[in-house]
């Protein structure tokens, strides 16, 4: 089984990477993708200041290369990149320079909407919440159509927020499935809330049917930030894959 690991911690001394590798080996994986968050341009929500892979990817690459000497795992030097439509040219240029093994593209914010925190929508009425969610899926379709990334991350990120949960519609998923059917981009089944608020993978497995109807395949991602998360989420991903109505493929099949 292959999966990706999102880490907020730089691998400058190799200790964090070594712990993730140990966890992946314990979980029975044969490959591990290191997909630190990467934000190419400044944003209104301050995330660019928090995640510095755009400046440090070469140093991290050296650490990953060194770690290959001590493990039988296949290690992928990869990245999860925030997609912003107005910055598509800058993103494309950076990805061409950085030459990651593969990239995950995710919509974390669009226009005035931040989809990583619930507070913005706490006092919003239902119409405003639905407008925010609709804008999210507009941006996801734009991401897929841009053909910048190998993998679509967080297919339905608003569903992870209690203030936006339930405002996604079947039509939203149908739009995304139709876009993916005509794209090289492969979505991920993400386990980032298995042991947190949702207690399940996302997208909601009950909605896999529309992707199956469009012939869309998925890859698996733990969205782990710690070794403990990796070892607890891998079994949940395996179970979701076994139950799903969609085809699950290895990362190798979507490499650039």
């Amino acid at each position: 089984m292959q999966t990706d690991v999102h880490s907020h911690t730089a691998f400058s001394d190799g200790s964090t990477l070594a712990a993730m590798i140990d966890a992946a080996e314990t979980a029975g994986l044969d490959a591990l993708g290191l997909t630190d968050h990467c934000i190419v341009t400044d944003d209104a929500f301050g995330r660019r200041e928090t995640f510095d892979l755009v400046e440090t990817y070469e140093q991290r690459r050296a650490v990953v290369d060194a770690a290959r000497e001590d493990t039988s795992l296949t290690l992928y030097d990869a990245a999860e990149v925030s997609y912003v439509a107005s910055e598509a040219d800058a993103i494309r240029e950076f990805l061409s320079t950085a030459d990651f093994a593969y990239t995950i593209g995710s919509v974390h914010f669009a226009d005035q909407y931040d989809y990583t925190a619930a507070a913005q929508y706490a006092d919003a009425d239902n119409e405003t919440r639905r407008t925010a969610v609709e804008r999210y899926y507009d941006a996801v379709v734009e991401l897929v159509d841009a053909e910048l990334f190998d993998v679509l991350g967080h297919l339905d990120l608003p569903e992870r927020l209690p203030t936006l949960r339930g405002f996604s519609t079947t039509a939203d998923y149908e739009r995304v499935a139709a876009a993916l059917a005509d794209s090289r981009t492969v979505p991920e089944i993400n386990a980032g809330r298995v042991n947190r608020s949702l207690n399940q993978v996302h997208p909601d497995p009950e909605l896999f049917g529309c992707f199956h109807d469009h012939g869309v395949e998925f890859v698996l991602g733990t969205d782990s930030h710690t070794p403990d998360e990796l070892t607890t989420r891998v079994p949940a991903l395996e179970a979701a894959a076994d139950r799903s109505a969609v085809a699950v493929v290895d990362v190798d099949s979507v490499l650039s």
Side-chain angles (χ1 to χ4, degrees):
M1 178 180 171
Q2 300 184 6
T3 187
D4 60 275
V5 173
H6 307 328
S7 174
H8 292 178
T9 305
F11 297 141
S12 56
D13 62 2
S15 59
T16 301
L17 177 55
M20 285 295 194
I21 290 172
D22 287 345
E25 291 172 339
T26 298
L29 302 184
D30 56 21
L32 185 65
L34 292 312
T35 53
D36 294 64
H37 286 291
C38 182
I39 299 178
V40 175
T41 60
D42 290 332
D43 64 86
F45 305 102
R47 289 174 63 83
R48 174 67 181 79
E49 299 172 2
T50 304
F51 304 112
D52 65 350
L53 188 66
V54 70
E55 282 101 15
T56 62
Y57 71 91
E58 291 177 308
Q59 295 97 304
R60 191 198 68 166
R61 181 165 294 161
V63 174
V64 173
D65 287 343
R68 291 190 175 102
E69 300 296 322
D70 299 316
T71 181
S72 61
L73 290 176
T74 299
L75 300 181
Y76 293 111
D77 170 35
E80 181 187 4
V81 182
S82 288
Y83 173 74
V84 181
S86 61
E87 303 296 335
D89 288 344
I91 294 171
R92 190 184 307 276
E93 182 177 357
F94 170 73
L95 294 182
S96 177
T97 299
D99 193 27
F100 295 110
Y102 69 89
T103 55
I104 300 172
S106 298
V107 174
H108 293 109
F109 40 83
D111 300 335
Q112 72 268 36
Y113 304 113
D114 179 4
Y115 301 104
T116 67
Q120 178 181 351
Y121 313 101
D123 298 322
D125 58 29
N126 287 350
E127 182 179 0
T128 300
R129 294 183 186 191
R130 173 56 196 162
T131 298
V133 170
E134 186 173 27
R135 179 66 188 98
Y136 176 82
Y137 290 103
D138 289 343
V140 169
V141 171
E142 292 166 5
L143 180 159
V144 174
D145 290 344
E147 298 287 1
L148 284 169
F149 309 106
D150 304 294
V151 176
L152 167 63
H154 301 307
L155 189 153
D156 57 354
L157 189 60
E159 288 297 301
R160 293 185 11 169
L161 298 180
T163 49
L164 294 181
R165 192 170 304 148
F167 287 89
S168 299
T169 67
T170 301
D172 293 326
Y173 292 99
E174 287 285 352
R175 277 204 299 150
V176 175
L180 288 166
D182 294 328
S183 173
R184 72 177 180 87
T185 308
V186 178
E188 71 171 0
I189 300 173
N190 183 291
R193 284 298 183 271
V194 162
N195 51 354
R196 296 176 65 181
S197 59
L198 290 185
N199 196 34
Q200 67 177 35
V201 301
H202 75 108
D204 187 336
E206 293 184 5
L207 297 163
F208 283 152
C210 69
F211 296 95
H212 177 268
D213 293 343
H214 285 274
V216 174
E217 300 174 327
F218 282 78
V219 295
L220 303 177
T222 66
D223 203 355
S224 298
H225 297 71
T226 67
D228 287 345
E229 287 178 343
L230 193 154
T231 54
T232 59
R233 292 175 183 179
V234 165
L237 278 175
E238 292 174 329
D242 288 342
R243 295 192 306 266
S244 75
V246 295
V248 176
V249 297
D250 287 337
V251 170
D252 277 341
S253 67
V254 298
L255 294 183
S256 301

